[in-house]
Amino acid sequence: MTLPYRPSKALVIGLCVSSALALVVLVLMLLKGGPVGFAVSALLAVAPLPGLLAAVLSLDRLEPEPKLHLSFAFTWGAGVAIVLGIVLTLVGEALFARAGLGEQAVDDAGTVFLAPVIEEALKGSALLLLLLRRREIDGLTDGIVYAAMAGLGFAAVENVGYYLGAFGEVGVGGAVGLFVLRGLIDPLGHSIYTSMTGLGVAYALTRRGPFRFAAVPLGYLGAVLLHGLWNGAASTGSLPLLGGAYLVIMAVLAGLIAVTVAERRRLLGRVAAYLPGYQPTGLVTPQDVTMLGTLAGRRQARRWARGAGLGKAMGAYQQAATELTLLHLRAEREGADPRRFTAERDALLHVMAGARRW
């Protein structure tokens, strides 16, 4: 956020609880698998994370989400979702066993049915909790980013467990072989599944109409189906089925990227609609509007500003101008209390005034 804001106590508590739970799970894995196996598994699980985090966060370059909220989503997936997912899946499998299903049938039901239903509900619940901070979700891209962060956190801890199991059975070669599948070929699986729920939540928050909240269960259903498709194909051991499921998931990923690109273009286009009205303040010139209206113009301006020693100022100016555009979009979409709108608008203009030194 360009503007200072008061962190939510609930989010801070949630972040701490989730982090503690993730730590407990990792310690238990260490005790069970031993230091060597755990070290190898943790290294393989963490290795792709920097690139994956950078890829997800690059989707939201125009108006980056608050670090606290992003951290909450990640740790929620890594902690609360993992722990409750294990507990609820074990309970569900026990119920299936009591119903008379054989061991293999119970395993298949847990993999293809229980895991997708339970895990997607738990990862997606991070988005529902963020509804309390609904002003942080300004578009579909925000929903995708928060959901992807929850998925990355879940996958990071889950992968340690999978790699540790492979290490115990086959050694380093087994762990590395599984890493190729989970860490290189399909590293964004959990993020892609949960992004469907994120899309549903974001759509419900940023659209009008009495049926917009139906997008939430529909998004969740999409997440469960994608997750179940991958797990089902993997459980068969059939390369053609696994390849087909992979193509479907990659097509969904392409669709998610297309959504973010289209939304970014729409936001940049609205700059020209709202910001010229602020030219009388002297904080926005026609050249600024042109610069802010394209990603290339923004990058070129930041390069110039860094050379002039104004890199941070230009970044702050661009972000405040973007948030001013989003403020107008929210007011247009939802209506706004005039006093609150004025206060937020003036605060953003104050940031722009303090940053604009060219």
Side-chain angles (χ1 to χ4, degrees):
M1 290 283 288
T2 296
L3 295 176
Y5 74 107
R6 190 173 184 178
S8 164
K9 291 182 180 178
L11 282 179
V12 172
I13 293 172
L15 178 64
C16 294
V17 170
S18 298
S19 299
L21 288 175
L23 182 61
V24 168
V25 171
L26 291 172
V27 169
L28 291 176
M29 289 180 180
L30 169 62
L31 295 176
K32 181 179 180 181
V36 175
F38 179 81
V40 170
S41 302
L43 179 62
L44 292 175
V46 170
L49 263 183
L52 297 175
L53 288 169
V56 169
L57 296 179
S58 70
L59 299 176
D60 198 30
R61 287 178 293 172
L62 286 183
E63 194 255 335
E65 298 306 303
K67 291 181 176 64
L68 173 65
H69 295 67
L70 294 171
S71 299
F72 166 79
F74 183 89
T75 57
W76 180 271
V80 173
I82 284 284
V83 172
L84 291 182
I86 292 172
V87 172
L88 294 177
T89 299
L90 290 175
V91 170
E93 289 179 346
L95 292 176
F96 280 132
R98 290 182 62 183
L101 294 181
E103 183 177 347
Q104 185 60 49
V106 170
D107 287 343
D108 291 341
T111 299
V112 180
F113 175 72
L114 285 178
V117 169
I118 292 171
E119 291 174 7
E120 293 311 319
L122 292 171
K123 288 184 292 174
S125 62
L127 276 296
L128 297 179
L129 290 171
L130 284 169
L131 287 176
L132 300 175
R133 303 283 293 184
R134 59 182 298 167
R135 293 179 64 80
E136 295 302 337
I137 298 181
D138 294 303
L140 302 180
T141 299
D142 292 347
I144 293 172
V145 168
Y146 283 125
M149 291 295 289
L152 285 178
F154 187 94
V157 175
E158 183 185 55
N159 282 343
V160 174
Y162 275 114
Y163 299 153
L164 196 58
F167 180 90
E169 293 178 4
V170 189
V172 175
V176 172
L178 188 56
F179 166 75
V180 172
L181 176 63
R182 297 183 66 88
L184 298 181
I185 295 177
D186 187 38
L188 287 170
H190 277 290
S191 292
I192 294 171
Y193 313 147
T194 312
S195 288
M196 303 304 291
T197 304
L199 271 178
V201 171
Y203 185 92
L205 285 176
T206 59
R207 298 299 188 273
R208 295 178 178 177
F211 301 109
R212 67 185 188 277
F213 287 104
V216 177
L218 288 176
Y220 168 67
L221 178 61
V224 170
L225 291 176
L226 282 178
H227 196 157
L229 174 66
W230 177 256
N231 283 10
S235 67
T236 66
S238 168
L239 285 179
L241 287 178
L242 195 61
Y246 184 75
L247 289 177
V248 171
I249 292 170
M250 289 301 101
V252 172
L253 174 60
L256 292 172
I257 294 173
V259 167
T260 64
V261 170
E263 192 166 68
R264 183 184 301 159
R265 288 177 178 171
R266 175 175 174 269
L267 177 57
L268 290 171
R270 299 307 290 170
V271 166
Y274 297 127
L275 294 192
Y278 293 96
Q279 290 182 21
T281 66
L283 300 176
V284 179
T285 67
Q287 292 78 16
D288 292 327
V289 173
T290 301
M291 174 268 290
L292 292 165
T294 66
L295 287 177
R298 288 173 178 240
R299 284 194 297 269
Q300 184 178 358
R302 288 196 297 272
R303 282 197 299 269
W304 170 84
R306 284 194 294 270
L310 298 171
K312 290 185 178 180
M314 178 60 75
Y317 179 84
Q318 289 184 353
Q319 188 172 348
T322 302
E323 292 189 14
L324 182 59
T325 302
L326 287 169
L327 178 65
H328 279 276
L329 280 171
R330 283 197 300 269
E332 184 179 277
R333 182 178 67 234
E334 305 168 4
D337 176 72
R339 286 181 296 180
R340 182 167 185 172
F341 177 88
T342 299
E344 293 187 17
R345 179 201 64 194
D346 290 349
L348 288 167
L349 291 175
H350 178 73
V351 172
M352 293 169 68
R356 198 179 193 286
R357 301 195 297 274
W358 52 86

